[in-house]
Amino acid sequence: MTERAVKLEPSWLEPLAPEFEQPYMEQLRAFLRAEKAAGKQIFPAGGEIFNAFEHTPLDAVKVVILGQDPYHGEGQAHGLCFSVRPGTRVPPSLQNIYKEINAELGLPIPAHGHLTYWADQGVLLLNSVLSVECARAASHQGKGWEIFTDRVIEVINSRREGVVFMLWGSYAQRKGAIIDSERHCVLQAPHPSPLSAHRGFFGCGHFKAANEYLQARGQTPIDWSLPELPRTDSARV
């Protein structure tokens, strides 16, 4: 897994290329090779691990939503946090995100969980850990991905200005502690999980606040609605 092999989007490649030469990345490569050699199923597919960067170039980032690790169920993860493949049932945390958007902005609740429409508008949907073993939540934590994604946050923090960071839950808030709140808009709330959403995620106002901040800076706000998917994709949702 070198920067050439993963075909990292060009605007990200320049600041992140040195990471692929670091010892932690070689250890991560060795770990992933060993897992695959042992016959373990890894999500997302190798070509989709860096999908968030492909959809949202560095110079296009307006909003960062920080997740923890990919969904570990069959057919779910495709490299964007909180997002699932077309035809996959909408996960509970994403359902709660939709409810909050509906409450804030009056937008209809989508019937699917495929969030590439957001990513293509400048919403970086970044997990802290970029891979996981099938049916084993958090199985790739502590293997090196966190170092890489810490560097991603550092790059956005230092090279961009006026980015909205949505940090939901204590894990995301700890990871985002380095963000300069003088340069960026930092929004914090409990995680949208059913276990914590009622402790302050509902009513957080983040989606409206993000758009007001972007508009105040002369930027186009995010359209938080989601277009319907083609019938063949959405039929099983």
Side-chain angles (χ1 to χ4, degrees), residues 4-221:
R4 292 176 296 280
V6 301
K7 297 183 175 62
L8 201 63
E9 195 278 333
S11 69
W12 289 107
L13 183 59
E14 184 268 322
L16 295 179
E19 299 304 303
F20 292 89
E21 307 304 324
Q22 298 300 313
Y24 82 85
M25 188 61 78
E26 178 52 42
Q27 292 166 8
L28 177 57
R29 282 193 286 264
F31 167 73
L32 292 172
R33 285 195 297 264
E35 293 290 281
K36 291 177 181 178
K40 295 179 180 178
Q41 191 173 10
I42 306 301
F43 299 138
E48 294 180 324
I49 285 177
F50 295 93
N51 221 6
F53 305 96
E54 193 64 33
H55 281 277
T56 314
L58 175 59
D59 57 4
V61 175
K62 294 180 177 180
V63 177
V64 177
I65 297 179
L66 190 60
Q68 194 159 345
D69 62 347
Y71 295 118
H72 55 84
E74 185 77 42
Q76 290 182 301
H78 66 111
L80 307 180
C81 75
F82 291 104
S83 181
V84 291
R85 291 180 179 280
T88 305
R89 195 172 300 277
V90 179
S93 291
L94 184 54
Q95 291 179 24
N96 286 339
I97 291 170
Y98 288 166
K99 290 176 184 176
E100 176 60 20
I101 291 172
N102 171 260
E104 291 182 32
L105 303 174
L107 297 174
I109 293 178
H112 65 86
H114 195 57
L115 305 183
T116 53
Y117 181 66
W118 294 356
D120 291 338
Q121 294 179 73
V123 182
L124 182 66
L125 298 167
L126 179 67
N127 275 317
S128 176
V129 177
L130 301 186
S131 63
V132 70
E133 182 184 342
C134 177
R136 289 193 63 217
S139 51
H140 289 188
Q141 288 186 11
K143 304 299 182 182
W145 282 127
E146 294 93 338
I147 303 173
F148 179 78
T149 53
D150 279 350
R151 177 59 182 149
V152 172
I153 294 171
E154 289 173 2
V155 166
I156 300 169
N157 183 56
S158 62
R159 297 199 177 203
R160 297 296 314 281
E161 191 166 343
V163 173
V164 180
F165 288 85
M166 296 183 179
L167 306 179
W168 301 331
S170 58
Y171 183 93
Q173 289 158 20
R174 287 193 301 270
K175 193 171 181 70
I178 66 163
I179 300 163
D180 182 353
S181 59
E182 297 294 320
R183 291 171 56 88
H184 304 285
C185 175
V186 180
L187 304 174
Q188 300 190 52
H191 195 276
S193 160
L195 298 175
S196 56
H198 291 279
R199 297 203 295 265
F201 177 78
F202 290 137
C204 68
H206 283 189
F207 302 94
K208 183 178 180 181
N211 279 354
E212 289 175 347
Y213 179 82
L214 293 171
Q215 287 176 300
R217 294 180 58 84
Q219 298 191 65
T220 304

